[in-house]
Amino acid sequence: MSDQPSRLELLRFARRVVQQQATAALQQLDGWIEEEERRQAERLRAEERRPPPAEWWIERGLNKDNLVAVHRGDCWDPGKRRVPATRQQAVDALRQQVTACSRCRPDSALGFLE
C-alpha cells in the first residue's frame, strides 16, 4: 500500500475539520447572542428604573438663590442649571416675578395670568 492517504480518508478528514470549524463558529455566535440579550435586558431594566421626567423646571443662575426662568418639562431649552419643580413651585416662582420661558410658555400652561 502507498503512504498516501486515500481519497475517502481525505474526505473524512475534511469533514471533521469543517465540523470543528462550524462548531466553533456556532459557539462564538451563541456567545454574541447571549451578550446582546444581556445588554438588551440591562437597557430594559434601566428604562424601568428611570424616574419619570419632570413636569416643570426652574432654571437657576450662578448664584443658586437666583432664579432665572421657569420652563415646562418638555422645553427644549431649559438651560444647564435647572432643577425639577412641582406645579406649585413653578406657580410660586412665576408669582415672585421669575421670568417664564418665551419658548415653552409655562405661564400659559399653568393658567398664570397677571
Side-chain angles (χ1 to χ4, degrees), residues 67-68 91-100 112 114:
L67 303 181
V68 176
V91 169
D92 290 345
L94 291 171
R95 283 191 182 130
Q96 295 170 10
Q97 305 300 317
V98 175
T99 306
F112 186 84
E114 294 188 61

Side-chain angles (χ1 to χ4, degrees), residues 6-59:
S6 71
R7 182 170 169 80
L8 184 57
E9 290 172 334
L10 289 174
L11 289 170
R12 286 184 177 148
F13 173 76
R15 185 185 187 291
R16 285 193 308 269
V17 169
V18 169
Q19 186 177 12
Q20 289 172 351
Q21 290 175 344
T23 300
L26 286 173
Q27 287 174 347
Q28 186 176 33
L29 279 170
D30 288 343
W32 291 342
I33 289 169
E34 288 174 11
E35 180 66 21
E36 189 57 32
E37 287 173 342
R38 185 191 61 75
R39 285 183 188 147
Q40 193 173 40
E42 199 171 280
R43 280 192 295 272
L44 289 173
R45 279 194 306 274
E47 287 178 17
E48 290 170 356
R49 289 190 306 237
R50 183 174 297 142
E55 242 183 292
W56 309 99
W57 295 105
I58 295 182
E59 183 178 354

Side-chain angles (χ1 to χ4, degrees), residues 54-57 70-76 78 101 104-107 109:
E55 242 183 292
W56 309 99
W57 295 105
V70 176
H71 301 270
R72 289 185 357 191
D74 60 352
C75 183
W76 59 271
C101 174
C104 66
R105 302 304 305 176
D107 49 350

